[in-house]
Amino acid sequence: MKILYCASEANPFAGSGGLADVAGSLPHALCRKGQDCRIVMPLYGTIPQDLKNQMNFIANFTVPVAWRHQYCGLFWARWNDCTYYFIDNEYYFKRGSLYGSYDDAERFAFFSRAILEMLPYIDFHPDIIHTNDWQTALVPTYYYLFYSKNPWYANIKNIFTIHNIQYQGMYGWEVNTECVGIPASDTKLLEMDGKLNMVKGAIETAVRVTTVSPTYAGEIRDPWYSFGLYNELNLRHYKLCGIKNGIDIDSYNPETDYQLYCNYSKEDMRGKGVCKQKLQERLGLEQRWDVPIVSMVTRLVEHKGLDLVRMGIRELLNTENMQFVILGSGDKEYEQFFSDLHRDYPGRVCFCKGFVPELARKIYSGADIFLMPSKMEPCGLSQMIALRYGTIPIVRETGGLRDSVFDSADGYGNGFTFANYATSDLVGAVRRALYGIRDNTGWHQLMWRAMMSDNSWDRSAQDYLNLYNDTLNWL
């Protein structure tokens, strides 16, 4: 099967978040399963020079951008077992950051149209074009309007994945005239609430629409989660499904991860105790093996459930035998709160502002408990990483958290969960975990079950492959 995976970022070339991890992992897993999956992304100025040196020029051509045509260069490179294509236009992509420019709508309209225009130059006729988030949401719309009746492009099926429905590529209609170029007779495809909405167009025109977890696929049909798109998603519910993301289990492997203080496995967990001791030492916490470390590695923003943490953490610290570690940055109000908490509980709380990847791994491996009480979480990777390192997650039952963490009350789960978005429920779940850790034998069994959880990309890739095959059989 031939698959073209379209993303605005992909590891190892450029990334700002979870999409880069997905785009840098899922296509490789599909290639390992014998599929011809290729990736296309912009040729950003931020791509390291040593990676640019591996690129090869293919061709240049022009791309329609509303009423004008813009230059496009096309390059390719091989990385591991996948071919990457790079769309080059220095005016659009030679900038200091991937997103946040005043002309993002024009930049990614150009990118979306260039994806379709490049196909004859690489002589690659995909069975599936798989697009992701608003930056490539125009691809299925452009295909439907301008390419589907061209014999060379016939019978390509478009699949669109929503990674976070909050970001929809919504703009005023002047953007259509200047950048997008949809004929006036077809603007209804993109119209929502009097504005142009790129994700809405993808939901209309793609053959299938996916999200990054089964639970999130159901949640976004609810007005509370959908950021205005619930009517469209309910009308097109037959297209919608959810496939849970995976993690790179080779990179996140406690047996081989060189960034840990000590390696360990599910068969021999003694090294995890060393990781905890060294973490306490580095962060200035009291050196006590018998005190559980509750941890968070997160962006400090409201939808991560931090208002619940802010209302409940002092009660827990005042009544329970625990230490608390948090690594992250974001909204100033949360940064200030956790700085104050660090000051008020010396030796028991450590707030590390920013994001330090090697410290994150040391927290995942050295902590006992990982807290993730999100208000909404399309998939989430942190809870899967914590499971991989035998650090027991406490999560709210939403999105991918619900699909990857199961309450251990039945003796079969891999963590602790709570359903209601309420401080009392969060506090109760933490207390259940702190009580459970006193049972050394039972806790080690729980750690073993956590480390046995299958969150690999091979599993997710098979689910996508099943979806692709099913889509190709649609009329």
Side-chain angles (χ1 to χ4, degrees), residues 151-284:
W152 193 92
Y153 288 87
N155 300 318
I156 297 174
K157 300 296 178 67
N158 281 272
I159 292 177
F160 176 67
T161 295
I162 299 169
H163 294 259
N164 189 331
I165 201 168
Q166 183 174 355
Y167 305 105
Q168 300 177 6
M170 187 179 292
Y171 294 92
W173 275 108
E174 69 278 1
V175 164
N176 186 52
T177 304
E178 294 299 317
C179 310
V180 177
I182 300 299
S185 58
D186 294 300
T187 54
K188 63 182 181 298
L189 293 172
L190 300 177
E191 195 279 329
M192 193 180 88
D193 297 333
K195 295 182 179 181
L196 180 150
N197 188 308
M198 298 180 186
V199 169
K200 192 254 188 183
I203 295 169
E204 286 264 8
T205 56
V207 179
R208 300 294 292 270
V209 178
T210 77
T211 67
V212 290
S213 69
T215 293
Y216 193 59
E219 287 176 341
I220 60 174
R221 294 177 61 187
D222 184 287
W224 197 78
Y225 286 95
S226 68
F227 291 88
L229 277 170
Y230 60 94
N231 281 333
E232 187 65 30
L233 288 163
N234 280 301
L235 283 171
R236 309 282 182 235
H237 66 90
Y238 57 89
K239 296 183 177 183
L240 186 62
C241 70
I243 297 175
K244 181 164 63 74
N245 283 342
I247 59 171
D248 185 339
I249 61 173
D250 294 322
S251 174
Y252 296 112
N253 185 349
E255 295 185 57
T256 58
D257 190 342
Y258 70 93
Q259 297 187 75
L260 306 192
Y261 288 117
C262 186
N263 294 118
Y264 57 94
S265 68
K266 59 182 176 292
E267 288 80 20
D268 183 358
M269 300 184 189
R270 287 174 295 180
K272 188 166 174 62
V274 177
C275 291
K276 177 176 179 177
Q277 177 190 352
K278 295 291 187 181
L279 182 65
Q280 288 175 323
E281 181 180 339
R282 173 169 173 173
L283 300 182

Side-chain angles (χ1 to χ4, degrees), residues 146-436:
F146 303 130
Y147 298 88
S148 60
K149 294 180 176 59
N150 182 321
W152 193 92
Y153 288 87
N155 300 318
I156 297 174
K157 300 296 178 67
N158 281 272
I159 292 177
F160 176 67
T161 295
I162 299 169
H163 294 259
N164 189 331
I165 201 168
Q166 183 174 355
Y167 305 105
Q168 300 177 6
M170 187 179 292
Y171 294 92
W173 275 108
E174 69 278 1
V175 164
N176 186 52
T177 304
E178 294 299 317
C179 310
V180 177
I182 300 299
S185 58
D186 294 300
T187 54
K188 63 182 181 298
L189 293 172
L190 300 177
E191 195 279 329
M192 193 180 88
D193 297 333
K195 295 182 179 181
L196 180 150
N197 188 308
M198 298 180 186
V199 169
K200 192 254 188 183
I203 295 169
E204 286 264 8
T205 56
V207 179
R208 300 294 292 270
V209 178
T210 77
T211 67
V212 290
S213 69
T215 293
Y216 193 59
E219 287 176 341
I220 60 174
R221 294 177 61 187
D222 184 287
W224 197 78
Y225 286 95
S226 68
F227 291 88
L229 277 170
Y230 60 94
N231 281 333
E232 187 65 30
L233 288 163
N234 280 301
L235 283 171
R236 309 282 182 235
H237 66 90
Y238 57 89
K239 296 183 177 183
L240 186 62
C241 70
I243 297 175
K244 181 164 63 74
N245 283 342
I247 59 171
D248 185 339
I249 61 173
D250 294 322
S251 174
Y252 296 112
N253 185 349
E255 295 185 57
T256 58
D257 190 342
Y258 70 93
Q259 297 187 75
L260 306 192
Y261 288 117
C262 186
N263 294 118
Y264 57 94
S265 68
K266 59 182 176 292
E267 288 80 20
D268 183 358
M269 300 184 189
R270 287 174 295 180
K272 188 166 174 62
V274 177
C275 291
K276 177 176 179 177
Q277 177 190 352
K278 295 291 187 181
L279 182 65
Q280 288 175 323
E281 181 180 339
R282 173 169 173 173
L283 300 182
L285 301 174
E286 296 173 359
Q287 299 287 289
R288 292 183 56 188
W289 66 268
D290 60 320
V291 177
I293 298 177
V294 178
S295 63
M296 297 185 75
V297 177
T298 183
R299 287 183 293 121
L300 302 182
V301 292
E302 182 185 4
H303 77 264
K304 293 295 184 179
L306 295 179
D307 50 339
L308 298 187
V309 177
R310 183 166 56 182
M311 289 186 286
I313 190 64
R314 288 183 182 271
E315 177 185 346
L316 286 166
L317 287 166
N318 291 336
T319 59
E320 301 292 342
N321 185 33
M322 61 173 280
Q323 296 174 343
F324 182 63
V325 172
I326 182 166
L327 170 66
S329 61
D331 294 349
K332 296 300 181 184
E333 61 175 307
Y334 294 119
E335 291 183 355
Q336 187 60 54
F337 173 78
F338 290 117
S339 294
D340 293 343
L341 199 71
H342 182 130
R343 179 200 62 209
D344 295 343
Y345 294 88
R348 297 186 63 205
V349 172
C350 182
F351 169 50
C352 303
K353 181 180 175 180
F355 181 69
V356 184
E358 61 86 17
L359 178 56
R361 290 180 182 245
K362 289 178 170 65
I363 292 172
Y364 284 123
S365 60
D368 299 288
I369 295 166
F370 191 84
L371 182 58
M372 204 166 172
S374 302
K375 181 181 293 185
M376 56 186 69
E377 195 69 55
C379 179
L381 300 178
S382 295
Q383 82 281 7
M384 299 183 199
I385 299 170
L387 288 166
R388 181 75 170 144
Y389 287 96
T391 298
I392 305 305
I394 300 173
V395 306
R396 194 176 84 83
E397 296 170 10
T398 185
L401 302 180
R402 182 179 181 182
D403 295 326
S404 56
V405 180
F406 310 99
D407 199 273
S408 62
D410 60 2
Y412 297 98
N414 56 8
F416 296 86
T417 71
F418 64 99
N420 296 322
Y421 193 72
T423 303
S424 58
D425 287 41
L426 178 146
V427 170
V430 174
R431 283 186 168 141
R432 283 199 296 128
L434 294 174
Y435 178 81

